[in-house]
Amino acid sequence: MRWQDQTEAPALPSAAAFLTRLGVLDSVRLTQRGNTSPRVVITADCLEAISFHLAKARTEMGGLLLGRAYAGLNGQADAQILVAARSVPSQAFDSTNVSLRMEAEVWTAARPFLDKGDIVLGWYHSHPDLGAFFSDTDRTTQRAFFRQPYSLGIVIDPVRQEMKAYLGPDSAPIPAENVMVYEGHP
Ligand SMILES: [Zn+2]
């Protein structure tokens, strides 16, 4: 994979236009929280595709998350709303302290969406029956390959039905109440 594609951080657009598209109720749901941690929006389609992929085997599997990152909620300039719009499953997946292996076809599958303005938001992977948490290896992977402030890491235990989200090079945990599944197509 060509990870150097990510070395230049794009300037993030403001969340205002995105919130307008969401409509009042969802917009309020997203912005009225008792904490200032970033919000993660996963489209229902994206979550369904991830669940479908990760249910296929009880080994660690994963792929890329594509979508958009927005700044500007409450005036912050950094990533505040992450929208995971779609996933690209990798048939080959191997994550160690020094490497992250996905097949080259992942980029081929991602390219049309990147050409339309999506960014590589981050990655997802499974921990079958191990619990959803970022291991030391996962933190190393995040820092090495998903090091933008908006880089999102989602880990799912499909057996225990747990999900956790982490953000940025330091793998900051995102509170569960800040993760919203969105039924529409933002
Ligand atoms: Zn892991």
Side-chain angles (χ1 to χ4, degrees), residues 60 93 95 123 125-127 130 133-135 137-138 155:
E60 189 179 273
F93 183 84
S95 169
W123 63 307
H125 74 289
S126 63
H127 279 188
L130 293 171
F133 67 97
F134 252 28
S135 67
T137 298
D138 297 335
V155 56

Side-chain angles (χ1 to χ4, degrees), residues 113-131:
F113 300 107
L114 300 180
D115 288 344
K116 285 185 194 140
D118 275 4
I119 59 173
V120 176
L121 203 56
W123 63 307
Y124 70 92
H125 74 289
S126 63
H127 279 188
D129 210 16
L130 293 171

Side-chain angles (χ1 to χ4, degrees), residues 28-179:
V28 167
R29 275 176 65 207
L30 198 59
T31 52
Q32 306 277 306
R33 294 273 192 241
N35 66 69
T36 56
S37 293
R39 278 72 164 136
V40 172
V41 176
I42 306 176
T43 66
D45 286 351
C46 179
L47 190 57
E48 197 174 314
I50 291 172
S51 303
F52 180 75
H53 176 216
L54 299 183
K56 282 183 180 169
R58 278 183 77 135
T59 55
E60 189 179 273
M61 296 191 294
L64 286 181
L65 294 170
L66 308 184
R68 311 278 170 129
Y70 298 96
L73 189 65
N74 302 323
Q76 296 102 324
D78 52 340
Q80 288 300 308
I81 297 182
L82 299 311
V83 182
R86 64 204 104 246
S87 61
V88 184
S90 180
Q91 306 307 319
F93 183 84
D94 186 29
S95 169
T96 71
N97 272 323
V98 292
S99 71
L100 174 67
R101 189 169 69 88
M102 296 192 207
E103 70 218 349
E105 287 76 16
V106 166
W107 283 113
T108 310
R111 183 53 60 194
F113 300 107
L114 300 180
D115 288 344
K116 285 185 194 140
D118 275 4
I119 59 173
V120 176
L121 203 56
W123 63 307
Y124 70 92
H125 74 289
S126 63
H127 279 188
D129 210 16
L130 293 171
F133 67 97
F134 252 28
S135 67
D136 288 345
T137 298
D138 297 335
R139 290 176 182 280
T140 305
T141 299
Q142 177 94 2
R143 182 178 295 283
F145 303 113
F146 302 98
R147 55 176 171 266
Q148 304 298 347
Y150 58 77
S151 291
L152 179 65
I154 288 180
V155 56
I156 289 180
D157 184 335
V159 179
R160 300 186 196 175
Q161 307 234 315
E162 297 172 6
M163 176 170 80
K164 289 246 172 63
Y166 297 84
L167 187 68
D170 295 328
S171 297
I174 294 178
E177 65 265 30
N178 285 23
V179 180

